[in-house]
Amino acid sequence: MQVIKIIRDINSSLGVKLPRIQAEEARLRLIKAGILLKAKKIIKNRDFVYLPISDSASLVNILEDLEYQIEYQVFPDELLKPSIIDSLKLEFPDEPWEEISVKFDQIGEIGLLRLDSELTSKAFRLKVGTKILSAYPKINSVLNKLDITEGIKRTFPIEFLAGEEKYESWHKEYGVLIKVDLKNAYFNPRLAEEHRRLSLEVTNDDRILDLFTGVGPFSLHCAKEHHCEVIAVDINPYAIKNLNASIKRNKLKGSIIPIIGDAGKVFRENRYFDRIIINLPNHSINYLAYASKLVKNGGIITFYQFVEKNIQPPQSLVSIIDEKLKNVCTYDILTNRVGREVSPSRIQVNVDLRIYNE
Ligand SMILES: C[S@@+](CC[C@H](N)C(=O)[O-])C[C@H]1O[C@@H](n2cnc3c(N)ncnc32)[C@H](O)[C@@H]1O
């Protein structure tokens, strides 16, 4: 029998525990299903392996013949190769190592670090950059994210560290090629599993509205996988320019119509869409009533919302959803799950709602 353990630590996230002998088979199946979290480290002890996952709803089908348990664990973020960290510690013993977390993502040919410029010296950051260049052969440019994502475009200030100074690249997620421009348009490779998960729920002929599409990863995943019709909206012309490049580059089964515009104003009530994606996590909840007039009766709204960790996510969202929709439509909450950790105090909650608006 599978048991869901109570969350003890607010930093914990969803995982699946298996005997070591079954772990590799489970890992491969979870990757294929798009729910293994690549941004978190797998935890192992003598007898068991804990795999970090984004969603538990489909585990029964994926791991049905294995002995698994769903458990919440504190999975550390995936960091730089340990060999790089060790040699940096030898070379820079005076850096405040207890406080530094060297977070790192590979985005196409770009290595993107998150090294606090107030905590670390420039010489140290430049050295980390050159070490990454030699340790990761596919990377030819190393950048450092200096601050949090901000502003209407959701971009962030960047420091160039090593290699070729470039901000654009082609990134691959589950076979989908995504043109990114880190200086001018939002992109986060840690959402890959969520892009994939959602695309696997879509079916042929679905009409999808991807509000706040950014460079379009949700739209591209859906149209790569299915003969669906997607309308992708973003206010940032650079984001849509990159999406257009990706539409040309991928062999898509479905179609994507990109629109530059204000997501809250592009459509009037039409009940046209089978699924609407709302991914502006600071404010998604404020677009629920609007989206519920654009989705078909029985259609789905998937939205992502940041909430404070100390107010019991994801339950804390339930009353807010009710407040937003009570005079507009009825609905069922299909899933309401804790997603990625955004900061020490905030977490993203991922929600699917079925809307009844007739
Ligand atoms: C979190 S990012 C989107 C991420 C994207 N869905 C993904 O998975 O990578 C939010 C996006 O909303 C866009 N945006 C912000 N305000 C907007 C508005 N009023 N209308 C349309 N797009 C908006 C930003 O330009 C940004 O690209």
Side-chain angles (χ1 to χ4, degrees):
M1 194 182 72
Q2 45 158 302
V3 182
I4 300 187
K5 290 206 171 162
I6 295 165
I7 305 180
R8 296 239 166 82
D9 187 319
I10 197 70
N11 292 313
S12 61
S13 59
L14 196 58
V16 56
K17 173 185 173 188
L18 295 115
R20 283 190 82 113
I21 193 155
Q22 296 183 349
E24 183 54 15
E25 173 63 26
R27 190 183 71 86
L28 295 174
R29 291 190 203 174
L30 294 171
I31 290 174
K32 196 165 171 216
I35 57 174
L36 185 77
L37 282 178
K38 288 186 191 149
K40 296 276 179 191
K41 275 190 168 177
I42 292 171
I43 302 173
K44 295 175 187 161
N45 63 26
R46 202 168 55 91
D47 302 317
F48 294 101
V49 173
Y50 300 81
L51 302 168
I53 54 172
S54 56
D55 189 15
S56 61
S58 48
L59 280 184
V60 188
N61 300 328
I62 301 167
L63 304 179
E64 57 178 342
D65 52 330
L66 304 182
E67 294 160 43
Y68 73 93
Q69 278 191 353
I70 298 168
E71 276 205 14
Y72 281 86
Q73 283 285 336
V74 181
F75 291 100
D77 277 330
E78 190 62 74
L79 303 176
L80 275 181
K81 288 181 180 171
S83 57
I84 297 188
I85 302 271
D86 290 346
S87 70
L88 283 167
K89 279 187 176 167
L90 280 179
E91 233 174 298
F92 291 88
D94 296 334
E95 296 291 333
W97 281 101
E98 314 73 54
E99 296 167 65
I100 302 177
S101 81
V102 194
K103 289 188 182 165
F104 169 69
D105 287 306
Q106 186 165 348
I107 304 177
E109 294 173 332
I110 296 173
L112 182 67
L113 283 157
R114 271 171 290 163
L115 275 175
D116 191 328
S117 60
E118 283 174 13
L119 273 181
T120 58
S121 64
K122 179 88 181 192
F124 171 73
R125 298 198 297 280
L126 291 171
K127 189 62 165 197
V128 178
T130 49
K131 288 223 180 262
I132 287 176
L133 272 189
S134 49
Y136 295 81
K138 288 191 182 145
I139 289 179
N140 57 29
S141 170
V142 184
L143 307 174
N144 187 29
K145 177 176 175 178
L146 285 175
D147 206 342
I148 54 167
T149 304
E150 61 189 4
I152 196 164
K153 292 193 288 180
R154 312 304 298 152
T155 48
F156 42 81
I158 304 177
E159 171 183 49
F160 166 66
L161 291 182
E164 192 187 324
E165 182 166 358
K166 67 171 194 181
Y167 302 87
E168 297 183 34
S169 191
W170 285 96
H171 180 69
K172 206 175 201 179
E173 283 183 0
Y174 294 96
V176 179
L177 282 163
I178 303 169
K179 175 78 193 314
V180 298
D181 175 354
L182 297 178
K183 209 171 201 172
N184 293 307
Y186 177 93
F187 182 71
N188 183 349
R190 295 178 179 223
L191 300 178
E193 285 76 25
E194 186 56 24
H195 298 147
R196 170 79 175 165
R197 181 200 72 84
L198 185 136
S199 73
L200 294 178
E201 287 188 0
V202 165
T203 53
N204 282 335
D205 302 326
D206 271 0
R207 293 166 173 172
I208 299 159
L209 176 59
D210 181 9
L211 297 171
F212 314 104
T213 189
V215 295
F218 278 117
S219 300
L220 291 162
H221 274 255
C222 292
K224 178 92 182 179
E225 201 70 40
H226 308 282
H227 295 273
C228 56
E229 173 190 322
V230 189
I231 297 187
V233 186
D234 203 283
I235 206 161
N236 178 1
Y238 289 104
I240 296 297
K241 182 177 163 214
N242 283 278
L243 171 55
N244 274 317
S246 302
I247 292 171
K248 287 198 189 109
R249 182 87 188 265
N250 286 280
K251 286 198 178 76
L252 301 177
K253 290 182 184 163
S255 65
I256 302 176
I257 301 173
I259 296 178
I260 301 172
D262 185 336
K265 295 188 181 149
V266 279
F267 288 106
R268 296 238 174 110
E269 181 165 347
N270 60 19
R271 297 198 188 104
Y272 181 80
F273 297 98
D274 296 283
R275 182 182 290 263
I276 299 183
I277 305 159
I278 313 177
N279 185 16
L280 185 66
N282 276 318
H283 303 290
S284 293
I285 194 99
N286 298 326
Y287 289 85
L288 273 190
Y290 167 72
S292 70
K293 294 177 185 162
L294 306 181
V295 74
K296 279 181 190 166
N297 184 39
I300 292 175
I301 296 178
T302 295
F303 76 97
Y304 303 89
Q305 180 66 40
F306 295 155
V307 295
E308 297 303 317
K309 276 186 183 176
N310 61 6
I311 53 165
Q312 292 194 328
Q315 291 78 2
S316 53
L317 262 188
V318 173
S319 57
I320 310 177
I321 296 170
D322 196 52
E323 188 57 38
K324 298 287 178 191
L325 292 182
K326 68 181 177 204
N327 297 325
V328 187
C329 61
T330 55
Y331 59 90
D332 289 329
I333 299 180
L334 302 178
T335 53
N336 181 21
R337 56 190 188 279
V338 170
R340 70 196 173 100
E341 184 185 297
V342 188
S343 74
S345 62
R346 294 176 104 196
I347 206 146
Q348 180 173 295
V349 175
N350 308 342
V351 185
D352 291 315
L353 301 177
R354 190 177 296 286
I355 300 292
Y356 305 100
N357 55 9
E358 234 165 35

